[in-house]
Amino acid sequence: MASKITDLKAREIIDCRGFPTVEVDIWVDGEFSGRADVPAGRSTGKREAVELRDGGKRWGGQGTLKAVQKVNQVIKPELLGLDPTAQRKVDELLCELDGTENKANLGGNATIGVSLALARAGAKTSGLPLYKYINSNAHVIPVPLVNLINGGMLTSNDLEIQEFIVMPIGAENLKHGMQMCYEINFILHDLIVEKYGKIAVNVGDEGGFAPPMTGINEPMETLARAVEASGYADEIVYGMDAAASHWYDWEKGVYRMEGQEMSREEVIEMYVNLCAKYPVGSIEDPLMEDDFEGHAILTEKLEGVQIVGDDLFTTNLKFIKQGVEIGAANAILWKSNQVGTVTEALDAAEFAYQAGYGVQVSERSGETEDTAIADFSVALNAGQIKTGTTRSERTGKYNQLIRITEELGPKAVYAGKNFHRPI
Ligand code: 2PG
Ligand code: MG
């Protein structure tokens, strides 16, 4: 007899920043079968699915009881009795029930909670680990993008660019890559203390240092010194999430860095110079999120560098198509809560692959101990994952990847230099 969803329950839990978020549990044939926690962004793109927050005084307005109620009262009755492995059907039903373009009715945090929990329940019902359930040919272990210096909205410093990243593409495997990144981080720690004092090694939302730096040269030079000193310079390329919408002056229509106004052309030149000086493998959101044309110009200019659209695409087929048409960026950042269901996010990745784009699976700055993105990065054979530095809501994902590597045994292939298009 086919398995059936017999119960569904959402609750409000707490994420790594102390904000409430939604957790969803699913029971199949009377047995507890899947749980998912919903992550949350802070430097969000404006085209992301709507996150339902309660407002008012409680928990500074950040409460998620409304979203919890949507799951328990609106979604649950529709899902009882359905096949837990019918992911696409259930996700389509969620979209239908919501009835808006951006999950404004049910809340993307309600729908993705249900959708992710269902994926786990489907995996359990099928007797498979999540990554294998999503893709029976899952075998690529991603290169980690470890953001060692943090700025932007994820810290309290004045560093405009959000993330300065190292990518251990020359490592033998993920664990070896992690070792390189953390050894570099130890050296970076000492360099920062030496120059800025010990208060400067406090960390940002994603566990990277948040020193009092500004601009692009100071953080890159410091990071490069740490990399040189580590002896891993030949095994590393640099990455960056510029999150440029957040240092763009929307009223004046200019970029603003270290007090200077910059035109789109000047910002593009800044990246061209940077890439001439350092081995840069990947730049995310180099320009503001509405400038598809600028992204296309930059992508062409920086041939061989991965240009990733996060706020630009928000894991949404509609905007990825818009970008692909004119060659804006050559990779998408993959965050399932940006669009609101697992199926829509998987379809977005599939489309990106078919268009020759890469897929970088990513954390949100607000995470919990849920490690699903580690499984999804392998399921998508994405070849790359961005999931922070220290703090256990970040390292939990790396630890899960270490376990998956072990489980896959000789089948596991570390993406390494092929991170952009590993298969
Ligand atoms: C980003 C992310 C994660 P947030 O901009 O890529 O690094 O931040 O989750 O706040 O959008
Ligand atoms: Mg980003």
Side-chain angles (χ1 to χ4, degrees):
M1 217 176 58
S3 290
K4 286 190 171 61
I5 299 171
T6 48
D7 203 1
L8 183 72
K9 182 181 163 64
R11 67 178 66 82
E12 188 181 59
I13 59 158
I14 307 159
D15 77 11
C16 63
R17 283 194 280 243
F19 291 163
T21 191
V22 178
E23 178 171 86
V24 179
D25 288 354
I26 296 191
W27 284 260
V28 173
D29 300 334
E31 208 182 301
F32 173 71
S33 297
R35 168 172 295 160
D37 299 347
V38 177
R42 185 177 339 241
S43 97
T44 49
K46 64 183 180 190
R47 291 180 285 272
E48 292 194 21
V50 172
E51 194 180 56
L52 212 54
R53 297 268 174 195
D54 299 341
K57 216 166 157 272
R58 181 180 171 275
W59 226 302
Q62 298 294 325
T64 52
L65 293 180
K66 280 184 187 160
V68 164
Q69 199 187 28
K70 295 279 186 188
V71 177
N72 291 340
Q73 291 177 13
V74 182
I75 298 175
K76 174 180 160 176
E78 302 291 331
L79 262 54
L80 295 182
L82 298 185
D83 175 357
T85 63
Q87 185 80 37
R88 182 171 292 275
K89 187 176 158 196
V90 172
D91 285 343
E92 281 170 3
L93 180 63
L94 291 172
C95 292
E96 239 171 72
L97 278 175
D98 173 74
T100 69
E101 277 234 322
N102 57 357
K103 312 288 185 295
N105 187 3
L106 293 176
N109 46 346
T111 57
I112 195 64
V114 172
S115 188
L116 285 166
L118 182 80
R120 285 217 186 272
K124 173 126 195 279
T125 306
S126 310
L128 293 168
L130 180 58
Y131 63 92
K132 223 177 254 176
Y133 167 66
I134 300 289
N135 176 8
S136 55
N137 185 35
H139 66 282
V140 178
I141 302 296
V143 168
L145 285 95
V146 184
N147 46 346
L148 298 185
I149 298 181
N150 289 192
M153 296 183 82
L154 309 185
T155 63
S156 301
N157 62 10
D158 296 319
L159 185 55
E160 299 87 348
I161 287 181
Q162 189 174 290
E163 298 161 27
F164 290 85
I165 293 168
V166 288
M167 305 170 65
I169 60 166
E172 283 157 29
N173 51 44
L174 173 100
K175 175 113 172 273
H176 183 218
M178 297 315 306
Q179 181 196 329
M180 291 176 174
C181 295
Y182 288 116
E183 283 181 23
I184 293 168
N185 206 37
F186 299 155
I187 297 168
L188 181 65
H189 173 281
D190 294 350
L191 290 179
I192 292 174
V193 171
E194 197 185 302
K195 185 154 178 210
Y196 305 94
K198 60 186 180 185
I199 198 163
V201 284
N202 285 334
V203 299
D205 280 352
E206 296 174 356
F209 298 129
M213 296 173 171
T214 54
I216 202 162
N217 294 322
E218 197 183 1
M220 274 309 294
E221 278 162 19
T222 313
L223 188 54
R225 272 182 66 203
V227 168
E228 285 297 333
S230 74
Y232 296 132
D234 293 342
E235 332 293 338
I236 291 286
V237 292
Y238 296 96
M240 184 178 289
D241 179 2
S245 293
H246 304 294
W247 42 278
Y248 182 72
D249 183 334
W250 288 84
E251 264 164 37
K252 275 190 108 178
V254 292
Y255 294 88
R256 211 177 279 285
M257 186 169 278
E258 298 190 288
Q260 301 292 313
E261 290 186 358
M262 290 170 89
S263 65
R264 176 222 264 175
E265 287 61 41
E266 286 168 318
V267 173
I268 290 180
E269 203 188 303
M270 175 184 84
Y271 295 123
V272 171
N273 292 337
L274 183 86
C275 294
K277 196 162 170 204
Y278 299 100
V280 175
S282 184
I283 308 178
E284 178 186 333
D285 284 351
L287 297 166
M288 66 89 150
E289 64 198 308
D290 289 343
D291 191 4
F292 282 74
E293 186 196 69
H295 277 85
I297 296 169
L298 182 66
T299 308
E300 205 186 331
K301 270 214 161 135
L302 289 183
E303 220 203 317
V305 178
Q306 176 176 263
I307 305 296
V308 186
D310 171 16
D311 296 349
L312 186 71
F313 297 141
T314 59
T315 322
N316 187 316
L317 205 50
K318 184 170 158 196
F319 307 116
I320 299 168
K321 278 186 179 157
Q322 195 181 323
V324 163
E325 259 169 40
I326 61 162
N330 53 29
I332 68 164
L333 202 71
W334 193 89
K335 296 164 163 171
S336 63
N337 80 318
Q338 284 186 320
V339 65
T341 64
V342 168
T343 300
E344 285 170 284
L346 292 176
D347 286 352
E350 188 51 40
F351 180 83
Y353 285 141
Q354 276 172 19
Y357 277 40
V359 174
Q360 184 178 116
V361 172
S362 173
E363 69 193 329
R364 298 310 309 244
S365 52
E367 281 283 335
T368 72
E369 55 276 22
D370 189 316
T371 59
I373 58 163
D375 281 67
F376 277 105
S377 70
V378 181
L380 286 165
N381 288 321
Q384 42 186 331
I385 187 169
K386 183 177 84 155
T387 187
T389 311
T390 56
R391 300 171 46 141
S392 26
E393 78 280 1
R394 316 285 151 190
T395 51
K397 279 67 162 173
Y398 295 129
N399 291 338
Q400 173 67 356
L401 285 167
I402 290 170
R403 288 178 211 115
I404 294 176
T405 306
E406 202 177 287
E407 222 169 86
L408 281 169
K411 212 184 155 207
V413 176
Y414 178 62
K417 293 184 173 61
N418 301 321
F419 66 90
H420 177 61
R421 296 279 300 175
I423 54 173

